[in-house]
Amino acid sequence: MDLGNNHLSSINFAKDVTILEELQLNENVFVQLNSSNINDMSKLKTLNLAVNLLESIESLTCTMKELEILDVGHNRLKTIGNCLKYNPKLKRLRLYNNNIASILKGVFSNLARLELLNLEWNKISRIELGAFDDLISLEELDLRNNKIINLEAGLFDNLGNLKRLYIATNEIQNLEQELFRNLTKVTDFRFDDNPISKLKAGTFKGLRSITDLNLTPLQYLYTIEENTFLGLQSLHYLSLGDNNISKINTPKAYTSLFVEYSSS
């Protein structure tokens, strides 16, 4: 059922929609929705609530055991809610362009089938260690354009199937050693536009499948320590342009690597 791109602010469904598998409510003006508004949709697989005015999704999807795709992007959410653990078949979760400030441990529990998690353009400054531990099937994690200052070592340890990791445009000042140690399948990685001043030895250890590494721009980057790129076995192209690098020591192991950089 497609009711997208209207001016709906409230809705109530009759009981004869129990067989509904897809519901498009995107681009409306909903401020609030709860389980009583969309009651008895136990067979729903796709729910699109993008581009509304929702401030909460508390209790919204608790009875949707078959849900596979949930899009609540471009709303006004401050928290993720308490129902996702009851959606064990969820594969794609989009929460971009909201006001979420923190990701707590347990909020993604029981989501072992989740493949895509989009959290870009929020206000996230804190991610609790263990928050992603249940996401063993995750292939794409997008955390761009937030306010993240620090990512603790161990945060990504259970994401062994991850292929795309985007943490660009945050406020990350330091990358802990061993942070990426288990991300051996990642092929697409973005870290540009963060206020980091030094890249330490072994910073990217674990990212052995990436071929291109773009570290442009990192305008506060001044120092790259020897062995910073240790363990990047597949890396062929490294971009360090448009930075303020004054000291760089590229180890002999990377004499065949094409490095592009500039200093100003």
Side-chain angles (χ1 to χ4, degrees), residues 18 36 43 66 74 98 101 107 121 125 162 164 193 196 201 231 234 257:
T18 54
S36 64
K43 295 185 179 180
E66 302 297 316
H74 215 297
N98 278 288
V107 71
W121 287 107
S125 60
L162 200 67
R164 295 171 293 278
D193 197 18
I196 194 166
S234 303
L257 177 66

Side-chain angles (χ1 to χ4, degrees), residues 26-78:
N26 54 298
E27 297 184 66
N28 280 286
V29 288
F30 291 107
V31 175
Q32 184 176 4
L33 276 175
N34 54 53
S35 57
S36 64
N37 299 123
I38 49 178
N39 192 31
D40 204 10
M41 290 192 178
S42 56
K43 295 185 179 180
L44 198 68
K45 293 183 178 181
T46 299
L47 178 58
N48 187 352
L49 298 169
V51 195
N52 276 283
L53 304 172
L54 293 171
E55 297 180 352
S56 173
I57 53 172
E58 293 287 340
S59 304
L60 181 62
T61 64
C62 287
T63 61
M64 300 177 186
K65 308 297 185 183
E66 302 297 316
L67 195 64
E68 296 180 1
I69 300 173
L70 177 60
D71 190 337
V72 202
H74 215 297
N75 277 277
R76 298 177 177 178
L77 302 183
K78 293 183 179 180

Side-chain angles (χ1 to χ4, degrees), residues 176-216:
E176 294 192 20
Q177 290 179 315
E178 305 293 321
L179 176 62
F180 308 118
R181 57 193 171 198
N182 287 345
L183 302 186
T184 58
K185 293 183 180 180
V186 169
T187 56
D188 194 358
F189 173 74
R190 294 295 304 271
F191 177 68
D192 49 285
D193 197 18
N194 275 286
I196 194 166
S197 61
K198 179 188 289 187
L199 292 177
K200 301 175 183 178
T203 293
F204 301 105
K205 188 177 181 181
L207 297 174
R208 66 186 187 192
S209 296
I210 62 173
T211 57
D212 297 352
L213 181 57
N214 184 356
L215 299 177
T216 302

Side-chain angles (χ1 to χ4, degrees), residues 15-247:
K15 291 185 178 181
D16 58 359
V17 295
T18 54
I19 61 171
L20 200 64
E21 293 189 359
E22 180 174 340
L23 180 58
Q24 303 284 344
L25 293 174
N26 54 298
E27 297 184 66
N28 280 286
V29 288
F30 291 107
V31 175
Q32 184 176 4
L33 276 175
N34 54 53
S35 57
S36 64
N37 299 123
I38 49 178
N39 192 31
D40 204 10
M41 290 192 178
S42 56
K43 295 185 179 180
L44 198 68
K45 293 183 178 181
T46 299
L47 178 58
N48 187 352
L49 298 169
V51 195
N52 276 283
L53 304 172
L54 293 171
E55 297 180 352
S56 173
I57 53 172
E58 293 287 340
S59 304
L60 181 62
T61 64
C62 287
T63 61
M64 300 177 186
K65 308 297 185 183
E66 302 297 316
L67 195 64
E68 296 180 1
I69 300 173
L70 177 60
D71 190 337
V72 202
H74 215 297
N75 277 277
R76 298 177 177 178
L77 302 183
K78 293 183 179 180
T79 62
I80 295 175
N82 59 356
C83 268
L84 295 179
K85 60 187 176 184
Y86 300 113
N87 310 128
K89 295 185 179 181
L90 204 60
K91 292 182 179 180
R92 296 178 175 269
L93 177 58
R94 294 182 173 92
L95 297 166
Y96 58 90
N97 280 78
N98 278 288
N99 297 315
I100 299 167
S102 61
I103 306 296
L104 304 180
K105 183 178 180 180
V107 71
F108 299 125
S109 64
N110 204 31
L111 297 185
R113 299 186 188 183
L114 195 68
E115 298 173 358
L116 180 148
L117 177 57
N118 189 325
L119 289 161
E120 67 175 326
W121 287 107
N122 274 281
K123 298 179 179 179
I124 299 168
S125 60
R126 176 173 172 250
I127 303 177
E128 280 190 356
L129 190 64
F132 301 134
D133 279 2
D134 283 11
L135 306 183
I136 57 175
S137 299
L138 199 66
E139 296 183 0
E140 180 173 325
L141 176 59
D142 197 337
L143 293 166
R144 286 177 290 188
N145 295 286
N146 278 285
K147 299 180 181 297
I148 300 168
I149 297 174
N150 182 55
L151 295 169
E152 291 187 60
L155 183 64
F156 302 134
D157 275 5
N158 282 20
L159 305 185
N161 286 307
L162 200 67
K163 297 177 181 178
R164 295 171 293 278
L165 175 61
Y166 307 124
I167 53 177
T169 316
N170 275 282
E171 298 177 12
I172 300 170
Q173 301 176 23
N174 176 57
L175 285 176
E176 294 192 20
Q177 290 179 315
E178 305 293 321
L179 176 62
F180 308 118
R181 57 193 171 198
N182 287 345
L183 302 186
T184 58
K185 293 183 180 180
V186 169
T187 56
D188 194 358
F189 173 74
R190 294 295 304 271
F191 177 68
D192 49 285
D193 197 18
N194 275 286
I196 194 166
S197 61
K198 179 188 289 187
L199 292 177
K200 301 175 183 178
T203 293
F204 301 105
K205 188 177 181 181
L207 297 174
R208 66 186 187 192
S209 296
I210 62 173
T211 57
D212 297 352
L213 181 57
N214 184 356
L215 299 177
T216 302
L218 292 171
Q219 61 178 324
Y220 296 99
L221 181 61
Y222 294 99
T223 303
I224 298 177
E225 292 185 354
E226 188 171 354
N227 295 323
T228 290
F229 307 110
L230 188 68
L232 300 183
Q233 302 171 6
S234 303
L235 192 63
H236 296 297
Y237 180 82
L238 171 64
S239 177
L240 294 165
D242 297 313
N243 291 310
N244 290 300
I245 300 168
S246 59
K247 182 180 179 181

